[in-house]
């Protein structure tokens, strides 16, 4: 049986105790850990920007249809949420929690590897 995220979430919490993270960085890291497979030698996260934004508390509306009277408002909401995802993701890369494996582009999601390491307890030595 392949489990999703249970062990990795614990590792994300330990990582955040050792490395100071901004609140959105912590939320996104825990979500990434929750959705990655525990058993993978190199756990990966490749969910959509919308999923990442949802993890940060944003309910992303679908792209507006042509002629939608609320198009400007919807695009502003989407842009704001995606910018928050970008800031959190960039922070996690800088802090060494994740590494970019593939850049996202039209029709292709970005992919990140989680770089969480189990921490040995110094008291056990």
């Amino acid at each position: 049986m392949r489990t999703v995220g249970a062990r990795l979430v614990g590792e994300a919490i330990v990582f955040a105790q050792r490395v100071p993270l901004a609140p959105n960085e912590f939320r996104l890291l825990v979500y990434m850990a929750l959705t990655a497979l525990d058993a993978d030698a190199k756990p990966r996260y490749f969910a959509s920007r919308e999923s990442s934004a949802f993890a940060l508390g944003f309910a992303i509306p679908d792209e507006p249809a042509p002629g939608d009277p609320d198009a400007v408002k919807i695009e502003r909401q989407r842009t704001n949420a995606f910018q928050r995802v970008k800031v959190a993701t960039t922070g996690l890369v800088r802090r060494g929690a994740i590494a970019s494996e593939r850049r996202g582009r039209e029709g292709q999601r970005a992919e990140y590897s989680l770089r969480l390491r189990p921490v040995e307890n110094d008291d056990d030595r």
Side-chain angles (χ1 to χ4, degrees):
M1 181 171 141
R2 296 179 68 144
T3 60
V4 178
R7 177 183 55 82
L8 292 172
V9 169
E11 290 181 19
I13 291 169
V14 170
F15 183 91
Q17 288 174 336
R18 294 244 168 165
V19 178
L21 298 177
N24 278 349
E25 292 169 354
F26 179 70
R27 285 184 193 101
L28 185 56
L29 182 60
V30 169
Y31 184 76
M32 289 175 160
L34 183 63
T35 59
L37 290 175
D38 274 344
D40 285 353
K42 191 175 184 180
R44 295 174 305 130
Y45 175 78
F46 48 87
S48 66
R49 291 186 306 168
E50 288 83 358
S51 293
S52 297
F54 184 75
L56 299 182
F58 294 96
I60 304 297
D62 291 334
E63 290 189 49
D68 186 332
D70 292 327
V72 172
K73 178 183 173 186
I74 292 169
E75 284 300 329
R76 188 173 36 241
Q77 289 173 328
R78 291 174 60 83
T79 299
N80 180 45
F82 294 150
Q83 181 61 29
R84 300 275 178 100
V85 170
K86 182 178 180 179
V87 168
T89 302
T90 300
L92 290 173
V93 169
R94 273 199 318 258
R95 287 164 178 73
I98 62 173
S100 177
E101 298 294 334
R102 183 177 66 200
R103 291 182 56 103
R105 58 182 178 271
E106 186 72 30
Q108 190 173 31
R109 296 176 179 178
E111 185 174 316
Y112 299 92
S113 59
L114 278 68
R115 301 295 176 106
L116 308 172
R117 302 284 187 261
V119 178
E120 292 180 12
N121 186 343
D122 293 341
D123 296 337
D124 292 341
R125 292 185 185 171

